[in-house]
Amino acid sequence: MMDTELNKDLELNKEETDSRVQPVAILRINDEQWGELEDRVVREWPLTIYHNGQELVTLLTSPEFIEDLAVGFLSAEGFISRKEDLLDVRGDYEKGQAHVETSTAGLIAEKTFMKRYITTGCGKGTTFYDVTDSRMVKNLKERHIDIKAEMITALMRSMQNMSELYQKTGGVHSAALCDKDNILIYREDIGRHNATDKILGHCFREGIDLGDKLLLTSGRISSEILLKVAKMGVAIIVSRSAPTDLAVKLGNELGMTIVGFVRGKRMNIYSHPERILQ
Amino acid sequence: MMDTELNKDLELNKEETDSRVQPVAILRINDEQWGELEDRVVREWPLTIYHNGQELVTLLTSPEFIEDLAVGFLSAEGFISRKEDLLDVRGDYEKGQAHVETSTAGLIAEKTFMKRYITTGCGKGTTFYDVTDSRMVKNLKERHIDIKAEMITALMRSMQNMSELYQKTGGVHSAALCDKDNILIYREDIGRHNATDKILGHCFREGIDLGDKLLLTSGRISSEILLKVAKMGVAIIVSRSAPTDLAVKLGNELGMTIVGFVRGKRMNIYSHPERILQ
């Protein structure tokens, strides 16, 4: 019992210009009502990153801001640390490639990258705070940024209102870079870390200082995402969701403020609460 | 303005015997009320898997069912395919290790494992349906399992009721193996894929046939999780969340039924709807 009327109605809305979503034909069941219709799902798009001509990694991502993603990924992985070392970045949406040229040989980064990607389970995160990490994490304890709790509530509400792709497809993670008053950059992506890497890459390319910023994420705060944000030099990470024990431990050690379960006017501070003001 | 009364009250509940959670001191803000108290966060625990004496991978997981996880991981990655090739598995919670001995040299698996883990971004999923995958995916089109839509609704409700660790900490993924009437195995884990791998490993070790089963997951259906479940020989995957376009494409090709957005009496069928009955 397919509802072809419904199907026809939805055909009219077919002009989907958003490259991040893909129309698909589905069967929708709602109790006794069964109907075929056209729905939209989020795209999972492979991007291969080349560093100085060498294939490095293939990420599954939403097809936008791929130059930022490539630079953010290389920066988070320790391949580049200074803006002047970034010579060129070219994204190719046809081929699904991003080519990054740097003046750094990145010897340490290359070695630890291989080690890291082999000894950690894909999607399971890094367990260790390795040589690249320790070189890269800024001394966050010295960051004298603070923010009122009510502003965190307001910023989280703003981010949730911005979540357009999620509302369309229910399938993405979002991240936002904020100062004390506003969301400065907002990104959505199907990859857990890509949204954050896209923000990091944008800031790296534009030379934006992150010392007085905070990062909001829709996802859980694992040790992996905490380290990534710590390496960016951001001292406050905020989530609607929970942190893990390892993230809390690292947050305490590295001088990072972890705010979790931001829902309505409630929130939990898991480490370095001195930056949150009444 | 810390509420020390609140803190004292909670000290009484301190006897936490669940190794999967860790007590932490937090500052809870609820509008005007600020109070220090003890909360629980989910543990993120490193497990290193050794295959025939060789270190293979370190996963971050919830510290339980680690033998199942090790076997499930090796099976999903193509290192073992027959029960008789599994000689021994020993988990060591003290050292955070699992040692698996098999009679398979696993030459193809080892080579493609390296390739896969280097060329896919950690946490970003596999983009390709490689030689290991194509060897392993059963012909799911021939699976003549079917199930009533109302049973899917009931099974999803049961799984959500079981989600004890999530209710404690808000930080885990869950997965359940079901037949047409009941949940047979239920697992929770902090790792996106670990809950599924723990189920797979259990079935592998016990020789449980998966041809007439379905798998429920709390998470999004990406290409990566779809391939893992397809390799198990399970023909129906069900989620409360969304699939990606690549998962839908693979589901159609491999003969797998994808049911998404199971909420109340609603659900969407994205591929092979013939297995879902009114």
Side-chain angles (χ1 to χ4, degrees):
Chain A
M1 271 202 299
M2 305 301 171
D3 184 347
T4 45
E5 283 310 302
L6 195 56
N7 203 6
K8 239 180 281 169
D9 282 357
L10 277 145
E11 294 282 313
L12 300 173
N13 298 324
K14 217 170 184 174
E15 314 100 289
E16 182 58 68
T17 51
D18 190 337
S19 67
R20 303 172 302 169
V21 300
Q22 177 73 28
V24 291
I26 68 162
L27 170 64
R28 175 163 294 160
I29 299 174
N30 190 353
D31 204 1
E32 300 291 297
Q33 286 201 296
W34 291 46
E36 275 181 349
L37 53 88
E38 188 178 285
D39 197 10
R40 289 180 285 197
V41 291
V42 71
R43 284 182 67 196
E44 198 183 352
W45 185 79
L47 172 73
T48 304
I49 298 176
Y50 293 80
H51 177 227
N52 291 339
Q54 206 182 346
E55 182 180 333
L56 188 68
V57 73
T58 297
L59 309 178
L60 289 165
T61 183
S62 302
E64 58 174 10
F65 301 110
I66 59 175
E67 294 89 354
D68 287 346
L69 175 58
V71 172
F73 183 87
L74 288 177
S75 158
E77 294 297 326
F79 285 87
I80 31 171
S81 55
R82 298 178 311 170
K83 189 174 188 293
E84 56 267 37
D85 291 331
L86 178 64
L87 303 178
D88 190 38
V89 51
R90 281 167 297 117
D92 184 332
Y93 285 89
E94 289 293 316
K95 291 184 185 161
Q97 296 178 350
H99 296 265
V100 185
E101 315 301 329
T102 73
S103 60
T104 52
L107 283 179
I108 296 175
E110 266 166 38
K111 274 186 205 147
T112 58
F113 180 79
M114 296 300 277
K115 169 87 179 140
R116 180 201 300 260
Y117 274 63
I118 294 163
T119 61
T120 69
C122 202
K124 276 47 167 250
T126 55
T127 62
F128 44 90
Y129 170 57
D130 70 9
V131 58
T132 320
D133 295 332
S134 55
R135 276 193 311 130
M136 292 177 68
V137 172
K138 317 284 194 288
N139 192 346
L140 298 171
K141 286 182 184 147
E142 289 172 10
R143 297 269 186 229
H144 293 303
I145 173 177
D146 51 40
I147 185 167
K148 283 194 162 190
E150 65 193 52
M151 277 314 300
I152 288 183
T153 298
L155 290 168
M156 184 56 79
R157 197 186 308 120
S158 297
M159 185 171 88
Q160 288 187 264
N161 291 341
M162 278 177 160
S163 188
E164 178 204 354
L165 188 56
Y166 181 80
Q167 283 157 19
K168 269 187 192 162
T169 64
V172 296
H173 299 274
S174 49
L177 188 76
C178 309
D179 63 15
K180 284 168 151 186
D181 301 305
N182 292 297
I183 289 181
L184 305 173
I185 309 171
Y186 172 76
R187 295 289 180 263
E188 296 174 318
D189 202 281
I190 63 140
R192 280 192 307 151
H193 294 155
N194 295 348
T196 302
D197 281 345
K198 284 176 176 178
I199 289 175
L200 173 56
H202 174 84
C203 294
F204 190 98
R205 294 172 74 196
E206 301 292 328
I208 296 169
D209 177 48
L210 295 172
D212 56 351
K213 309 290 190 301
L214 54 161
L215 192 108
L216 271 59
T217 169
S218 62
R220 206 178 47 180
I221 303 174
S222 65
S223 59
E224 208 177 3
I225 196 82
L226 183 116
L227 280 173
K228 191 184 284 284
V229 174
K231 283 191 261 181
M232 291 165 67
V234 174
I236 305 177
I237 184 165
V238 178
S239 173
R240 210 182 158 270
S241 184
T244 66
D245 72 323
L246 199 50
V248 173
K249 189 168 169 285
L250 287 168
N252 277 313
E253 282 171 15
L254 301 174
M256 193 150 175
T257 301
I258 300 175
V259 186
F261 283 106
V262 181
R263 293 175 188 197
K265 291 183 174 180
R266 294 185 63 156
M267 67 191 72
N268 294 339
I269 323 288
Y270 293 89
S271 59
H272 292 276
E274 65 277 6
R275 294 198 183 94
I276 311 301
L277 307 180
Q278 249 181 325
Chain B
M1 273 201 296
M2 304 302 172
D3 184 350
T4 45
E5 283 311 300
L6 195 55
N7 204 6
K8 241 179 281 169
D9 284 356
L10 276 146
E11 293 283 313
L12 301 173
N13 298 323
K14 218 172 184 172
E15 313 101 292
E16 182 58 68
T17 52
D18 190 338
S19 68
R20 303 172 303 170
V21 299
Q22 176 73 29
V24 291
I26 68 162
L27 170 64
R28 176 162 293 162
I29 300 174
N30 190 354
D31 203 1
E32 299 291 300
Q33 287 200 296
W34 290 45
E36 275 181 350
L37 53 88
E38 188 179 283
D39 197 9
R40 289 180 285 197
V41 292
V42 72
R43 284 182 66 198
E44 197 183 353
W45 184 80
L47 172 73
T48 303
I49 298 175
Y50 294 79
H51 178 228
N52 291 339
Q54 205 182 347
E55 182 180 333
L56 188 68
V57 72
T58 297
L59 310 178
L60 289 165
T61 184
S62 303
E64 58 173 10
F65 302 109
I66 60 175
E67 294 88 354
D68 288 346
L69 175 58
V71 172
F73 184 86
L74 288 176
S75 158
E77 294 298 326
F79 285 87
I80 32 172
S81 56
R82 298 177 312 168
K83 188 174 187 297
E84 56 267 37
D85 291 332
L86 179 63
L87 304 179
D88 189 38
V89 52
R90 281 168 295 118
D92 183 333
Y93 285 90
E94 289 294 314
K95 291 184 183 160
Q97 297 179 350
H99 295 266
V100 185
E101 315 301 328
T102 73
S103 60
T104 50
L107 283 178
I108 296 175
E110 267 167 37
K111 274 186 203 148
T112 58
F113 180 78
M114 298 299 278
K115 170 84 179 145
R116 181 201 300 262
Y117 274 61
I118 293 164
T119 61
T120 69
C122 203
K124 276 46 167 253
T126 56
T127 62
F128 42 90
Y129 170 57
D130 70 13
V131 59
T132 321
D133 294 332
S134 55
R135 277 193 310 129
M136 292 178 66
V137 172
K138 317 282 193 290
N139 191 348
L140 298 171
K141 286 181 183 150
E142 290 171 10
R143 297 268 186 229
H144 292 302
I145 172 178
D146 50 41
I147 184 167
K148 282 194 162 189
E150 65 193 53
M151 278 313 302
I152 289 182
T153 298
L155 290 168
M156 183 57 79
R157 198 185 308 118
S158 298
M159 184 170 90
Q160 289 186 263
N161 291 341
M162 280 178 160
S163 188
E164 177 205 355
L165 188 56
Y166 181 80
Q167 283 157 20
K168 270 188 192 161
T169 64
V172 297
H173 299 274
S174 49
L177 189 76
C178 310
D179 64 14
K180 284 169 153 186
D181 301 305
N182 293 296
I183 290 182
L184 306 174
I185 310 170
Y186 172 76
R187 295 290 179 264
E188 296 175 318
D189 202 282
I190 64 141
R192 277 193 309 150
H193 294 156
N194 296 348
T196 302
D197 281 346
K198 284 176 176 179
I199 289 176
L200 173 56
H202 174 83
C203 295
F204 190 97
R205 295 172 75 195
E206 301 293 328
I208 297 170
D209 177 49
L210 295 171
D212 56 350
K213 309 291 188 298
L214 53 160
L215 192 108
L216 271 60
T217 169
S218 61
R220 207 176 45 178
I221 302 174
S222 66
S223 58
E224 207 176 4
I225 195 83
L226 183 115
L227 281 174
K228 190 184 286 285
V229 174
K231 283 191 262 182
M232 293 165 67
V234 174
I236 305 177
I237 184 167
V238 178
S239 173
R240 209 183 160 271
S241 183
T244 67
D245 73 323
L246 200 49
V248 172
K249 189 168 171 285
L250 287 168
N252 277 314
E253 282 171 16
L254 301 175
M256 193 150 176
T257 301
I258 300 175
V259 186
F261 283 107
V262 181
R263 295 176 186 196
K265 293 184 173 179
R266 293 185 63 157
M267 67 192 71
N268 294 339
I269 323 287
Y270 293 91
S271 59
H272 293 277
E274 66 277 5
R275 294 198 182 92
I276 311 301
L277 307 180
Q278 247 180 327

